[in-house]
Amino acid sequence: MKHHYIPEFYLRHWVGGDGRFERYNRPVPSKIMVRRSYPSETGWMKDLYISPEGTRDPQWLEIDIFQVIDSRAAPVLQKLASDPPRDINAAERSAWTVFLRSLFHRTPENLRGTIASTAEIYEETVESSRERYAELRGPGDPETFDEYKNSLTILDMRRSALAIIPDLIVNSRIGQFLNNMHTRIFSLPGCAPDFLLSDDPIIRTNGLMNDGGHFAIPISPRNIFVSAWQEKTLNEIYRMKPTELVRVVNTSNVEGARHFVVARNHSQDRFIRNRFGKNPRPSILSAS
């Protein structure tokens, strides 16, 4: 299956009348390519979230988790990106928060970070069952703990890592904290250039519960959603010149790109080519 780590419903907000946008990528380090592309052709990898066969359908994470998250967030984005933005209720706010949380964990780099971080925990968890192995042992398990431990493979670890992703995304404590933050949508005047979109679209400070702590995500070429720990931070952003706001956002997104940058047209071609992938952000779990 094609697993979209940047969902089609989100990408569609950048398309033109032909249903496509300009997609920049870097197939080799020294070459930036641009192609008029459809959302269905962008932001995906084959079987990115596939789970080793076991008790679940190998596609369970894509079908049961990410597709459900996206289907709930899509109508919320329609409201937020409309002109003017429309209010959303508490359930819609939670659906939007869960979607944003999913973007932190579903990209190829952050998925690898999650699996790598889980490897050490997995080893410790397995070892912690040594003393109780006799009572935990099932009918088909090896007779001794060491035999059991030696029978485990990298596929078992991957299966365990993928199993924790829903809990990372749908964490009620973190979700409530994010829901309670101050939010605002900033719309650009006609004189300002567009917001660009990349495979790492969320701009964030190093910590949210700090002075100035916030995160932001473009929701269309002309609108950006900002969530801040303090309302004064939103007021400071409001006082920025639109062109400066666009420069800051686009610099972060384009320099953070690993796989692609999306634009409605070629008007920022030089900006994209000069900055593509210059400063990719570390994966979420490796950063912590």
Side-chain angles (χ1 to χ4, degrees), residues 68-101:
V68 173
I69 288 173
D70 293 349
S71 67
R72 292 174 178 170
V76 182
L77 179 57
Q78 284 296 127
K79 285 188 172 183
L80 295 176
S82 61
D83 186 19
R86 291 150 58 195
D87 291 335
I88 59 175
N89 59 35
E92 291 170 326
R93 176 66 186 274
S94 291
W96 179 244
T97 294
V98 169
F99 169 68
L100 296 180
R101 288 278 297 161

Side-chain angles (χ1 to χ4, degrees), residues 23-198:
R23 184 191 67 188
Y24 292 77
N25 70 334
R26 189 171 56 187
V28 295
S30 60
K31 191 172 184 64
I32 303 293
M33 302 286 290
V34 59
R35 177 172 175 264
R36 195 80 180 155
S37 302
Y38 292 100
S40 61
E41 301 172 315
T42 306
W44 66 274
M45 289 183 66
K46 182 180 178 182
D47 288 336
L48 178 60
Y49 313 119
I50 196 166
S51 178
E53 291 187 7
T55 57
R56 293 180 171 183
D57 181 335
Q59 301 287 352
W60 71 270
L61 187 56
E62 168 68 8
I63 294 171
D64 298 337
I65 304 300
F66 290 132
Q67 287 186 10
V68 173
I69 288 173
D70 293 349
S71 67
R72 292 174 178 170
V76 182
L77 179 57
Q78 284 296 127
K79 285 188 172 183
L80 295 176
S82 61
D83 186 19
R86 291 150 58 195
D87 291 335
I88 59 175
N89 59 35
E92 291 170 326
R93 176 66 186 274
S94 291
W96 179 244
T97 294
V98 169
F99 169 68
L100 296 180
R101 288 278 297 161
S102 80
L103 292 180
F104 281 121
H105 296 284
R106 67 199 289 180
T107 64
E109 288 69 33
N110 285 337
L111 183 68
R112 281 196 289 270
T114 299
I115 292 173
S117 297
T118 301
E120 184 175 343
I121 299 172
Y122 179 76
E123 289 265 346
E124 293 173 356
T125 302
V126 170
E127 186 61 34
S128 69
S129 65
R130 177 182 291 275
E131 300 301 322
R132 299 179 56 222
Y133 180 72
E135 60 182 279
L136 296 173
R137 177 174 170 262
D141 290 333
E143 289 190 12
T144 69
F145 175 81
D146 286 330
E147 289 176 310
Y148 166 73
K149 185 175 180 180
N150 291 335
S151 72
L152 299 176
T153 68
I154 190 67
L155 297 182
D156 295 303
M157 190 274 291
R158 178 178 172 85
R159 188 183 298 111
S160 176
L162 295 179
I164 72 169
I165 288 177
D167 291 331
L168 292 174
I169 295 171
V170 188
N171 180 298
S172 58
R173 181 180 60 83
I174 296 175
Q176 192 58 56
F177 168 76
L178 296 176
N179 284 346
N180 290 340
M181 291 179 70
H182 302 281
T183 65
R184 198 175 301 177
I185 293 172
F186 297 95
S187 299
L188 297 174
C191 60
D194 284 349
F195 290 120
L196 302 171
L197 178 64
S198 79

Side-chain angles (χ1 to χ4, degrees), residues 10 12-14 77 80-82 185-188 194-197 217-225 264:
Y10 179 33
R12 286 192 197 105
H13 287 263
W14 271 260
L77 179 57
L80 295 176
S82 61
I185 293 172
F186 297 95
S187 299
L188 297 174
D194 284 349
F195 290 120
L196 302 171
L197 178 64
I217 180 171
I219 53 177
S220 79
R222 311 303 297 170
N223 297 284
I224 188 166
F225 174 91
R264 284 200 294 185

